[in-house]
C-alpha cells in the first residue's frame, strides 16, 4: 500500500520541531528540558508524526536512541525546511528594513576568555539595531563547528580548524597563541629548553588532538601518542597527569602556569599563532541575518586588533 505524504500544516511544523530536538538531544529523556515537555508527551508527538508520514523515524532500546534510514532522511529534510522558513521570514522582514528570524551560532570551546575573541562585541553591535532575532549559541569541538555549518544545524561559527569541505567560506577573525605544555609531574618540567633534544621529545607521550589531521598537528619530530583528545579541557587533564605533553592555548593555560603546575616546553620552537576563522556557507545571496552578524564579527575583530596593536 502506498502512503501519501500529506501537505504540511502548522501541526506538522510543530511535530517536526519536536523530532528535530529529540534527534539533536539524542533521545527523548534528554529532550525534555529543551522542549519543556514530558517524555510521554514527546513520545506521543513522535508517534503522531510517524503516523502522519507513514514512516518509522527512530528506534529506542537498550542500546540507546537512533534514527532509522527514513528518519535520517526526514531529519536532513527538516533542517532544510526550517532553514528555508527562517530565510523567508528574514527576507520579508529585510524588505521592511527589519531584522527578524533565528540565528544559530556555534563556537569552539574555551575562547570566551581570549581578549581578541570578537563574539561578545559582535553580539553587542548586533543588538544595538532594532530587531526581533532569536539567537542560539552552542559550544562544540572545533571540527563540529564546521560540520554544523555544512549540514545546516547552525548558520555560522568560530573555529580553529579548517577542513576540505566544499561550500564553506572561511575568514580569519583573529589568532590565538598555542604552545606546547607539560605538567609539574612530568620529567621534562624542570628541564631547560636548551637541554631538551629531539631524542628526549621522541620519548614523550603526546596528546593528539582528534579534531585535527596529522598534517595540521604542530609536531616536528616523530612523537609517540597513545591518547587522543577532542576538547581543550581533556588535553589539559591528560597533561596534568604528568604522563603526557600537548598543545594548549596560552590564554587558557595562564591560570595553571601562574599556579606553577604547567609550563611551556621550548616556546621559541613550539609556539605558534593559530588562526581562528569565521565559517559560513558559501552563497551568492546569503541570509541578511548571517551577513549582518558576520560583518559585525569582522568589524569587532578589526577594532580589537587595532587596540592590541596600540
Amino acid at each position: 500500500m502506498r502512503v501519501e505524504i500529506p501537505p504540511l500544516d502548522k501541526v506538522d511544523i510543530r511535530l517536526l520541531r519536536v523530532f528535530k530536538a529529540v534527534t539533536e538531544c539524542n533521545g527523548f529523556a534528554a529532550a525534555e528540558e529543551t522542549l519543556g515537555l514530558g517524555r510521554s508527551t514527546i513520545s506521543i508527538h513522535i508517534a503522531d508524526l510517524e503516523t502522519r508520514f507513514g514512516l518509522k523515524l527512530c528506534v529506542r532500546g537498550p542500546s540507546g536512541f537512533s534514527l532509522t534510514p527514513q528518519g535520517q532522511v526526514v531529519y536532513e529534510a527538516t533542517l532544510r525546511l526550517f532553514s528555508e522558513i527562517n530565510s523567508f521570514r528574514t527576507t520579508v522582514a529585510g524588505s521592511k528594513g527589519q531584522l527578524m528570524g533565528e540565528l544559530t551560532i556555534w563556537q569552539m570551546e574555551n575562547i570566551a576568555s581570549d581578549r581578541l575573541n570578537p563574539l561578545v562585541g559582535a553580539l553587542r553591535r548586533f543588538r544595538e539595531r532594532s530587531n526581533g532575532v532569536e539567537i542560539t549559541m552552542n559550544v562544540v569541538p572545533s571540527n563540529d563547528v564546521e560540520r554544523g555549518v555544512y549540514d545546516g544545524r547552525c548558520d555560522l561559527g568560530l573555529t580553529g580548524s579548517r577542513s576540505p569541505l566544499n561550500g564553506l567560506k572561511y575568514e580569519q577573525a583573529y589568532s590565538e597563541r598555542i604552545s606546547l605544555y607539560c605538567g609539574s609531574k612530568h620529567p621534562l618540567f624542570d628541564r631547560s629548553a636548551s637541554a631538551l633534544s629531539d631524542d628526549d621529545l621522541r620519548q614523550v607521550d603526546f596528546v593528539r588532538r582528534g579534531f585535527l589531521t596529522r598534517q595540521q598537528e604542530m609536531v616536528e619530530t616523530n612523537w609517540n601518542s597513545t591518547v587522543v583528545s577532542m576538547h581543550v579541557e581533556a588535553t589539559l587533564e591528560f597533561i596534568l597527569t604528568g604522563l603526557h605533553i600537548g598543545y594548549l592555548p596560552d590564554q587558557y593555560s595562564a591560570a595553571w602556569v601562574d599556579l606553577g603546575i604547567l609550563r611551556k616546553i621550548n616556546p621559541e620552537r613550539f609556539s605558534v599563532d593559530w588562526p581562528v576563522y569565521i565559517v559560513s556557507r558559501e552563497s551568492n545571496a546569503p541570509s541578511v541575518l548571517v551577513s549582518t552578524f558576520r560583518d559585525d564579527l569582522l568589524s569587532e575583530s578589526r577594532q580589537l586588533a587595532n587596540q592590541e596593536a596600540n
Side-chain angles (χ1 to χ4, degrees):
M1 180 180 67
R2 187 176 67 174
V3 178
E4 297 288 349
I5 301 299
L8 295 181
D9 60 23
K10 187 175 181 179
V11 173
D12 294 318
I13 298 298
R14 178 168 58 84
L15 295 179
L16 285 169
R17 289 193 184 279
V18 172
F19 172 64
K20 177 176 178 289
V22 169
T23 300
E24 293 174 354
C25 292
N26 200 33
F28 288 39
E32 288 183 88
E33 184 175 352
T34 298
L35 292 168
L37 299 173
R39 199 176 315 181
S40 61
T41 302
I42 294 172
S43 182
I44 291 170
H45 287 336
I46 296 299
D48 288 346
L49 188 63
E50 290 178 327
T51 300
R52 180 84 167 147
F53 289 168
L55 297 170
K56 182 69 173 176
L57 299 176
C58 57
V59 176
R60 289 184 292 166
S63 59
F65 172 87
S66 63
L67 293 178
T68 64
Q70 295 90 347
Q72 184 64 40
V73 170
V74 172
Y75 173 66
E76 292 172 1
T78 298
L79 291 178
R80 293 193 295 272
L81 172 65
F82 287 152
S83 177
E84 289 301 322
I85 290 173
N86 190 48
S87 178
F88 175 83
R89 293 178 63 200
T90 300
T91 301
V92 173
S95 71
K96 300 166 62 178
Q98 300 173 347
L99 290 173
M100 186 174 293
E102 299 174 359
L103 181 66
T104 302
I105 304 159
W106 285 13
Q107 60 176 312
M108 67 179 187
E109 57 178 340
N110 297 307
I111 60 173
S113 59
D114 196 319
R115 64 182 181 274
L116 293 178
N117 176 8
L119 188 55
V120 172
L123 287 168
R124 290 184 61 86
R125 288 172 184 258
F126 190 80
R127 283 304 194 198
E128 285 171 356
R129 304 179 184 88
S130 176
N131 66 70
V133 179
E134 179 181 292
I135 301 175
T136 301
M137 288 208 300
N138 193 12
V139 178
V140 298
S142 191
N143 58 336
D144 281 357
V145 175
E146 297 171 284
R147 295 193 191 104
V149 174
Y150 180 77
D151 63 24
R153 286 176 292 162
C154 64
D155 298 302
L156 77 170
L158 284 171
T159 179
S161 59
R162 184 166 184 166
S163 303
L165 291 172
N166 292 328
L168 293 185
K169 179 179 182 179
Y170 294 86
E171 298 168 282
Q172 186 169 336
Y174 67 102
S175 296
E176 65 173 356
R177 192 71 170 171
I178 303 290
S179 300
L180 185 64
Y181 285 88
C182 68
S184 58
K185 297 178 182 179
H186 197 280
L188 297 183
F189 189 80
D190 295 321
R191 299 273 298 275
S192 67
S194 60
L196 292 179
S197 67
D198 285 349
D199 286 338
D200 292 324
L201 293 172
R202 289 191 186 97
Q203 305 305 312
V204 303
D205 196 343
F206 175 71
V207 183
R208 186 163 58 85
R209 292 168 293 172
F211 52 87
L212 298 178
T213 66
R214 287 190 178 273
Q215 289 73 26
Q216 290 174 313
E217 279 285 14
M218 298 169 291
V219 180
E220 295 188 12
T221 56
N222 186 24
W223 293 348
N224 179 53
S225 178
T226 64
V227 293
V228 178
S229 167
M230 298 303 297
H231 299 269
V232 171
E233 188 170 1
T235 301
L236 172 65
E237 289 167 337
F238 276 131
I239 294 171
L240 291 178
T241 65
L243 302 175
H244 311 279
I245 67 171
Y247 283 103
L248 292 169
D250 286 359
Q251 55 85 17
Y252 175 76
S253 308
W256 287 273
V257 171
D258 291 343
L259 290 172
I261 56 178
L262 274 186
R263 62 159 288 201
K264 296 178 184 179
I265 298 176
N266 197 346
E268 291 75 19
R269 181 178 177 185
F270 297 117
S271 292
V272 68
D273 290 322
W274 192 268
V276 177
Y277 299 102
I278 301 166
V279 58
S280 58
R281 288 186 290 277
E282 287 276 11
S283 174
N284 293 327
S287 156
V288 174
L289 295 187
V290 172
S291 60
T292 300
F293 194 78
R294 168 188 158 275
D295 289 345
D296 286 342
L297 282 169
L298 291 171
S299 295
E300 187 68 17
S301 294
R302 288 190 291 268
Q303 180 174 316
L304 291 172
N306 289 335
Q307 291 173 354
E308 185 77 2
N310 296 327

